[in-house]
Amino acid sequence: MPEKFVFTSSPIEQLKADYDVIIIGSGSTGLTCAIQANELGLKPVILEKMDKIGGNTNRASSGMNAAETEVQLAHGVVDSFAEFYNETYQGGGKLNNQEMLEYFTTHAALAIEWLSSHNIELTDLTITGGMSKKRAHRPASTAPVGAYLIKGLLGVVQREKIPLFTQVKVEHIKKNTADMQVVISLDDKTQKTITGKSIVIATGGFGAGSELIKKYRPELMNYKTTNQSGATGDGLLLAQEIGAELIQMEMIQIHPTVQQDTPHAYLIGETVRGEGAILVSAKGKRFVDELDTRKIVSHAITALPEKSAYLIFDEKVRKRVKAIEFYNHIGLIKSAPTIAELAEILKIDSKNLVSTLSEWNKAVETTVDTEFGRKTGMNIKLDAGPYYAIHVAPAVHYTMGGVHVDEKTRVLDGNGYVIPGIFAAGEVAGGLHGNNRIGGNSIAETVVFGRQAAQQAYVYLKQ
């Protein structure tokens, strides 16, 4: 089950007329930014349009990528910034902003340490598609990382009495000579203007924004989305209003493993495959390296006649991934004592599925997947019943494009000039991931660049 936390919004009458930093959005990026700004002696405020905080971070399940960490060494994983950089660059089709990527890969370990200094510990490791080593840091309990992170960051926000208002929508940003103003609408439909010496846009992407998806990728209009309903791209329009450039907007990621047989689409985290699960077709055969990039795995699934597949795993995998308990709780999983019986439930050829699992276990034993070349997530055989299956298909998951920023999170206009005092971080910012985001990099991005936005706002205000 996801982490539970109690949150009470600051009373709206406590909203002041001006702040050092106005942070728009309450996901991990916004919360991280507010905490770092507060630590630097600034007076931040967080404005959230939804009635709940956390945004899409609440749905993140796998982990937070980082290289050269003490956690990795404790697990016997020797890694390097260069490997992290190269695999992310390769995974993004070499279309990543290289300055952003350099900053990201060399500061993710510091972000892990920063979280630890706030008693937000990510001491277990797993692996995601497109990575060659275990870089995805997660809680020791193996709980989904997103809700755990929001709970921890919220605790710091509350202890430090950082103002956080929900159901406050920013309608416009107005840039004046010295300060900036934001026009907000409150839950009672009234509007108000507040002043900020700097502004950080941390509103997330547009994975649930049908108008923007229609504009940039109309062929994806019929795809379901893994995004929460507030991910509509508001921050992109706010940034455009003050002259910001948008980049790579057509680069929208499809996640390969999303359960869509229920009214709500549920993302099945990459950790399940990272801990040893395999994908099979309706014929009971593997068809892809399950831990290739999301782009390649998604294309492989949509190339199947059914355009869907089954995620197959056993009891050992279930014990290594706490999120599976949640998937089971809400009825997404089919199970049976044996693989043959599971095949009958799924209406898959039993001989094929039994043979597939036998071949896979031989590959694990020899560490050689001759059929598809998989090299990671091959630590344990799938040989401990009960056995489980989740029906999955690709869905809209992440928007790699967004506001044009530099590695300092400063927002740029169409000519590449910095728009003073305006910063953007997290999924709303484009450029870091290229044409394909690696699993585990988005959570790392929220902390790395949430901190960076606060630090650069501090530098801006001190100049």
Side-chain angles (χ1 to χ4, degrees):
M1 297 288 287
E3 292 281 331
K4 300 288 185 181
F5 53 87
V6 177
F7 168 69
T8 303
S9 175
S10 301
I12 199 63
E13 58 269 17
Q14 292 182 7
L15 183 65
K16 296 179 181 179
D18 61 271
Y19 294 90
D20 291 333
V21 190
I22 296 174
I23 300 163
I24 311 171
S26 71
S28 175
T29 305
L31 297 181
T32 295
C33 182
I35 294 166
Q36 181 73 91
N38 183 68
E39 290 171 342
L40 289 168
L42 302 181
K43 294 180 180 178
V45 64
I46 308 165
L47 306 179
E48 169 59 55
K49 72 173 183 177
M50 306 297 285
D51 59 350
K52 296 178 181 178
I53 71 157
N56 273 344
T57 306
N58 284 323
R59 300 190 174 198
S61 58
S62 295
M64 174 176 165
N65 284 347
E68 296 193 28
T69 69
E70 293 297 324
V71 173
Q72 285 180 308
L73 292 177
H75 286 262
V77 178
V78 177
D79 201 358
S80 73
F81 296 151
E83 289 174 279
F84 188 16
Y85 179 102
N86 290 333
E87 289 175 12
T88 302
Y89 191 49
Q90 188 70 39
K94 298 184 178 180
L95 296 172
N96 321 63
N97 177 315
Q98 293 181 60
E99 289 78 16
M100 287 181 74
L101 183 56
E102 177 73 20
Y103 187 87
F104 171 72
T105 52
T106 56
H107 285 72
L110 292 173
I112 294 285
E113 291 178 15
W114 183 82
L115 289 173
S116 178
S117 73
H118 293 85
N119 297 315
I120 303 171
E121 303 285 356
L122 301 175
T123 55
D124 193 55
L125 291 174
T126 188
I127 196 165
T128 61
M131 297 279 102
S132 66
K133 293 182 177 178
K134 288 189 173 184
R135 293 192 183 106
H137 295 64
R138 60 181 180 173
S141 66
T142 76
V145 69
Y148 172 83
L149 192 56
I150 292 296
K151 179 181 178 181
L153 293 171
L154 176 62
V156 180
V157 166
Q158 291 179 324
R159 285 195 300 275
E160 294 298 319
K161 296 182 170 52
I162 298 171
L164 197 174
F165 299 91
T166 56
Q167 295 179 290
V168 175
K169 184 181 180 184
V170 176
E171 301 286 356
H172 303 284
I173 297 176
K174 297 181 178 180
K175 183 86 171 70
N176 297 323
T177 305
D179 296 329
M180 283 137 284
Q181 293 181 324
V182 296
V183 179
I184 59 172
S185 20
L186 307 178
D187 192 37
D188 62 3
K189 308 304 179 187
T190 60
Q191 288 199 340
K192 188 174 181 177
T193 299
I194 62 174
T195 299
K197 295 182 179 68
S198 62
I199 292 175
V200 176
I201 302 172
T203 52
F206 60 98
S210 57
E211 289 302 313
L212 287 172
I213 290 175
K214 183 179 180 180
K215 179 178 180 179
Y216 292 104
R217 291 289 299 279
E219 73 276 16
L220 300 180
M221 282 296 292
N222 293 327
Y223 276 63
K224 289 189 178 181
T225 182
T226 65
N227 288 237
Q228 55 96 15
S229 60
T232 52
D234 298 10
L236 302 172
L237 304 180
L238 291 172
Q240 274 191 308
E241 192 175 39
I242 54 171
E245 181 182 35
L246 303 185
I247 61 169
Q248 299 181 332
M249 290 291 285
E250 74 285 357
M251 295 183 184
I252 298 175
Q253 182 176 72
I254 306 303
H255 195 288
T257 56
V258 180
Q259 203 282 345
Q260 302 179 38
D261 299 334
T262 51
H264 176 77
Y266 289 94
L267 184 146
I268 309 302
E270 219 147 36
T271 306
V272 181
R273 284 172 283 147
E275 292 298 331
I278 60 173
L279 284 166
V280 302
S281 68
K283 294 182 179 179
K285 293 289 188 179
R286 288 179 67 221
F287 55 93
V288 71
D289 169 2
E290 293 85 352
L291 284 171
D292 210 323
T293 62
R294 291 173 173 180
K295 184 177 182 180
I296 290 174
V297 178
S298 292
H299 285 172
I301 294 175
T302 54
L304 296 172
E306 301 78 15
K307 300 188 185 303
S308 65
Y310 291 95
L311 200 57
I312 305 293
F313 53 97
D314 70 349
E315 183 66 17
K316 286 185 289 187
V317 173
R318 177 174 176 168
K319 287 179 178 178
R320 284 286 296 154
V321 185
K322 193 172 182 180
I324 291 173
E325 301 309 316
F326 173 68
Y327 306 148
N328 189 54
H329 175 74
I330 58 176
L332 306 184
I333 298 178
K334 304 289 186 185
S335 65
T338 67
I339 277 291
E341 290 172 285
L342 184 63
E344 290 182 17
I345 292 171
L346 301 178
K347 295 181 171 54
I348 287 176
D349 184 285
S350 178
K351 288 183 180 179
N352 281 354
L353 191 57
V354 169
S355 173
T356 294
L357 215 68
S358 176
E359 290 167 7
W360 170 249
N361 287 335
K362 288 177 185 175
V364 171
E365 189 172 349
T366 60
T367 68
V368 178
D369 176 18
T370 54
E371 195 168 10
F372 297 104
R374 178 167 164 176
K375 294 181 174 64
T376 56
M378 299 178 68
N379 300 322
I380 55 174
K381 295 180 182 180
L382 299 180
D383 59 3
Y387 294 88
Y388 304 96
I390 305 177
H391 189 219
V392 295
V396 170
H397 180 52
Y398 195 89
T399 51
M400 281 78 70
V403 179
H404 192 184
V405 299
D406 62 12
E407 73 279 6
K408 294 183 177 179
T409 71
R410 298 178 301 185
V411 172
L412 308 177
D413 66 17
N415 295 312
Y417 293 113
V418 170
I419 302 175
I422 306 288
F423 306 87
E427 191 177 351
V428 73
L432 175 64
H433 305 290
N435 65 8
N436 175 72
R437 180 176 67 76
I438 299 293
N441 278 356
S442 63
I443 285 294
E445 176 187 21
T446 65
V447 184
V448 170
F449 287 108
R451 294 184 70 205
Q452 173 73 308
Q455 292 167 20
Q456 295 306 317
Y458 173 82
V459 170
Y460 168 76
L461 294 178
K462 294 299 177 184
Q463 287 177 344

